[in-house]
Amino acid sequence: MKITSYSLGALLLTLLALPAPTPAAAAAAAADAADPAPVGARHRHTGSEISAFLTSFYGHHGPSVHDRDQRVSQQLKEKQAHAPSSDVLLCAQKEPSNEPQDIAVGTVTVAQSAGVGWATVTTRWGADQQDTFTAYVRLDSRPIKLDDVICAG
């Protein structure tokens, strides 16, 4: 393909005819260039969203089979696979009738710089028996998932 001075001149005139970007558009373009994620993927979960998720996930007696399969990170699934005699989501021993009598989710803390939110979860197993653990959610998980559980003891 031969490029002539005429075609370069026409290209230059076409470019000059385009509207100049506004300062706001230039700032938005710079922000988009700095963050290659699609606009919808930049949402980060809030403390109230994490609280609602954990409350729904744990319910009053522990996560459902569906929740264990669909609402848990791959990392946590692998952790469970390496501890077959334990229920890593509840920090308890696996037994057929081992279901907490009640579960309460505490206040959620969000660390934007770390990209994670967490809450203390309290399980009540009997009149005198209660345990606590910390449940973690990545702020950018889509859909929202339980990312890790750290047992207290």
Side-chain angles (χ1 to χ4, degrees):
M1 171 183 206
K2 183 178 177 187
I3 299 177
T4 64
S5 60
Y6 172 78
S7 61
L8 288 175
L11 176 63
L12 181 59
L13 285 174
T14 303
L15 291 173
L16 289 173
L18 293 174
T22 64
D32 287 344
D35 186 356
V39 173
R42 285 190 224 132
H43 172 80
R44 295 170 73 81
H45 304 300
T46 65
S48 60
E49 289 170 332
I50 294 169
S51 180
F53 166 76
L54 291 174
T55 301
S56 166
F57 180 85
Y58 280 108
H60 290 288
H61 304 289
S64 68
V65 172
H66 177 266
D67 286 345
R68 289 172 181 275
D69 183 54
Q70 299 296 315
R71 299 173 77 191
V72 173
S73 70
Q74 186 60 39
Q75 167 190 315
L76 201 47
K77 289 178 184 179
E78 290 169 9
K79 189 176 182 179
Q80 179 62 69
H82 287 97
S85 64
S86 297
D87 183 341
V88 299
L89 301 182
L90 292 170
C91 292
Q93 292 299 312
K94 271 191 179 176
E95 296 175 17
S97 62
N98 201 18
E99 181 180 281
Q101 291 179 352
D102 193 35
I103 298 177
V105 176
T107 303
V108 172
T109 301
V110 174
Q112 290 288 338
S113 61
V116 68
W118 66 89
T120 298
V121 178
T122 303
T123 53
R124 289 182 185 79
W125 299 90
D128 301 354
Q129 192 179 15
Q130 91 176 17
D131 291 315
T132 61
F133 56 88
T134 306
Y136 294 87
V137 173
R138 284 186 31 194
L139 299 182
D140 62 352
S141 61
R142 287 286 173 250
I144 192 169
K145 292 185 176 188
L146 184 65
D147 191 56
D148 201 4
V149 172
I150 305 297
C151 302

